[in-house]
Amino acid sequence: MTEVDHTHAIDLESWFEPANRVKTDFPIQNLPLGMYRIAGSNDAFRACTAIGDHILDLAAVDAVYTENLNELAASGRTTWRQLRSDLSQALSDTSRRSQIERFLTPLDQVELGLPVLSRDFTDFFTSYFHAYNAGKLFRPDDPLTPNFKWMPIAYHGRASSIVLSGTAVRRPWGQIMTPDSSQPTFAPSRFVDFETELGFVIGPGTGFGDTVAIDQAEDHLLGVVLLNDWSARDIQAWEYQPLGPFLAKSFATTISPWIVTMEALAPFRVPAFKRFEGDPPPLPHLRSTANDRSGHVSINVEAHIKPALGSLQRLSRANYSSSYWNPAQLVAHHTSNGCPLNTGDLLGTGTISGPTDGEAGALLELGKMGQTPVVLEDGSTQTSLADGDVLTLRGGCEREGFRSIGFGEAAGAVMPAIPA
């Protein structure tokens, strides 16, 4: 696992003043990875980091990557640590200012791109509270499936519909079976929903037939993005049995442009989820002493909505550390049957929800599958996402004695369905 070092020091400051502002997501202690080009150009995307309200081209430290970050992701932890150290030194050493500042560009003058090329997307189901709350709606007497506490459940999603924050999302068509009908209709979804998630980005891949031990699992994780796995709940309700989600989720998955590295998250490690009394211990391939001690990460995640005719308002706030399964467990279990992972693949956490009503990470939970209108901060109500609504995810980490860092945002507007 990653360790705290000099790059995390709370008193470390940059000669670039915007990085030292209290409210920035991107102080020198963060240094996330992304891709950019000058807005309006047709240039190839180039690798960068975010610092304050600017980007810094990685060419400043002789790290040039174009199109995407897959090559860097595949290079492994030694290279990632060295790059972080080089960037930290370049942005803190005042003697290097004249050399480095020509590589800075204001964020409002650039276009950001997808940080990695993902060949596969696996979406897990890691939050006990989401699993219980959702299960209660459909199976009141037995909310949790018998396997939930034994392994990280997942489904294989579509990498082809992973889109960058800011991309508009079309309301999907699909088969819908209403309670009073004897056959489904093909129509636009009436219940478009969001899911507050994180996506772990695979670094070095694994070979066919290879397995990864839990204590080596994080060597295969470059970092984390915000992830919104858009869902059409009425389509999902009809199609998900017996094989699980399909068209109800494959129409769009929005991610943030910045990969917050596992190195940046080192100060925010916490113990693995404390299981409830009577729960079974994880099987051997999903447990180790090190993982028990600091296998989870404390990341606050928030969902905000801006209705078509309203202002931006917070819907929910939760913390990823409340999820039953943690990052290393996802990698270890995913590879336990020899399934290879590709560099750039995304492992979604599934909806992140906490134990209270305000910590539910989807309208499905917040409004109990549309039965209870969700009351917004301005007094208006919402049961599902309407055309023109903008849904924005935000995230960040904070801990006493360390500088807070942020993830930027993953946002998307719901657009009307394509006319029949």
Side-chain angles (χ1 to χ4, degrees):
M1 294 181 184
T2 53
E3 297 180 355
V4 174
D5 61 23
H6 65 282
T7 66
H8 303 100
I10 191 172
D11 58 353
L12 180 65
E13 292 193 339
S14 174
W15 48 257
F16 185 61
E17 186 55 35
N20 304 324
R21 296 171 184 165
V22 173
K23 294 295 185 180
T24 183
D25 275 357
F26 307 120
I28 194 171
Q29 290 83 355
N30 192 346
L31 302 176
L33 301 172
M35 301 297 296
Y36 87 101
R37 64 184 176 191
I38 299 301
S41 77
N42 292 317
D43 298 340
F45 283 94
R46 294 171 57 86
C48 64
T49 188
I51 184 74
D53 55 1
H54 281 53
I55 64 92
L56 178 74
D57 193 307
L58 295 194
V61 291
D62 298 320
V64 178
Y65 301 94
T66 58
E67 303 300 340
N68 56 58
L69 292 169
N70 284 47
E71 182 183 349
L72 174 61
S75 63
R77 192 159 304 284
T78 299
T79 299
W80 307 337
R81 286 176 175 163
Q82 187 61 55
L83 175 60
R84 177 178 172 84
S85 179
D86 291 347
L87 287 169
S88 181
Q89 198 275 337
L91 285 162
S92 60
D93 184 347
T94 55
S95 69
R96 298 189 63 185
R97 178 169 186 164
S98 60
Q99 169 199 355
I100 300 298
E101 62 185 352
R102 65 191 176 94
F103 292 98
L104 288 165
T105 307
L107 269 165
D108 60 10
Q109 294 180 19
V110 304
E111 174 191 355
L112 299 175
L114 281 170
V116 289
L117 175 63
S118 302
R119 290 172 57 188
D120 276 302
F121 165 46
T122 301
D123 202 26
F124 283 88
F125 193 48
T126 65
S127 168
Y128 166 86
F129 301 105
H130 173 64
Y132 183 87
N133 292 340
K136 194 82 172 171
L137 296 172
F138 302 104
R139 300 176 302 276
D141 297 329
D142 192 18
L144 285 183
T145 55
N147 56 359
F148 180 85
K149 293 183 178 182
W150 289 100
M151 63 179 177
I153 304 166
Y155 76 91
H156 188 201
R158 285 290 301 178
S160 61
S161 51
I162 294 171
V163 295
L164 191 68
S165 176
T167 304
V169 174
R170 284 276 183 188
R171 181 177 299 275
W173 285 72
Q175 286 197 21
I176 301 168
M177 175 70 88
T178 59
D180 57 350
S181 298
S182 59
Q183 64 181 41
T185 58
F186 185 68
S189 171
R190 303 182 187 100
F191 193 171
V192 173
D193 198 359
F194 71 95
E195 291 188 342
T196 302
E197 302 191 28
L198 297 171
F200 286 88
V201 179
I202 295 297
T206 61
F208 180 75
D210 292 345
T211 61
V212 177
I214 191 165
D215 283 340
Q216 281 72 56
E218 289 194 18
D219 290 339
H220 297 271
L221 293 177
L222 172 61
V224 191
V225 295
L226 298 169
L227 187 151
N228 178 2
D229 192 34
W230 300 87
S231 301
R233 299 300 186 188
D234 44 1
I235 298 172
Q236 181 180 357
W238 172 236
E239 73 174 9
Y240 86 103
Q241 296 187 55
L243 296 180
F246 183 36
L247 300 181
K249 289 177 173 285
S250 63
F251 62 98
T253 300
T254 298
I255 65 170
S256 54
W258 297 110
I259 300 174
V260 176
T261 65
M262 299 303 291
E263 280 71 26
L265 296 174
F268 311 105
R269 302 307 296 245
V270 294
F273 183 84
K274 185 178 180 180
R275 297 193 159 207
F276 304 106
E277 185 177 353
D279 284 2
L283 292 177
H285 74 293
L286 295 173
R287 186 176 188 182
S288 74
T289 300
N291 191 265
D292 286 349
R293 183 176 62 247
S294 56
H296 231 318
V297 193
S298 177
I299 303 173
N300 294 316
V301 288
E302 297 182 352
H304 298 255
I305 188 171
K306 184 182 183 302
L309 299 176
S311 58
L312 187 70
Q313 302 166 73
R314 193 171 80 185
L315 278 170
S316 67
R317 188 176 196 263
N319 191 284
Y320 173 52
S321 64
S322 69
S323 292
Y324 204 81
W325 301 100
N326 60 54
Q329 291 172 324
L330 305 189
V331 174
H333 191 65
H334 202 308
T335 61
S336 63
N337 70 341
C339 172
L341 295 173
N342 305 305
T343 294
D345 284 359
L346 274 178
L347 305 185
T349 59
T351 303
I352 299 170
S353 296
T356 67
D357 289 344
E359 296 175 279
L363 285 169
L364 171 76
E365 292 175 72
L366 290 167
K368 296 177 173 53
M369 193 59 179
Q371 299 172 20
T372 304
V374 178
V375 181
L376 303 182
E377 293 172 343
D378 64 2
S380 63
T381 59
Q382 197 108 9
T383 54
S384 65
L385 296 177
D387 293 345
D389 289 353
V390 178
L391 196 289
T392 301
L393 302 184
R394 293 176 179 164
C397 301
E398 53 189 3
R399 178 185 170 190
E400 187 176 354
F402 292 92
R403 184 68 192 271
S404 297
I405 64 173
F407 286 66
E409 62 181 37
V414 179
M415 301 299 289
I418 297 173

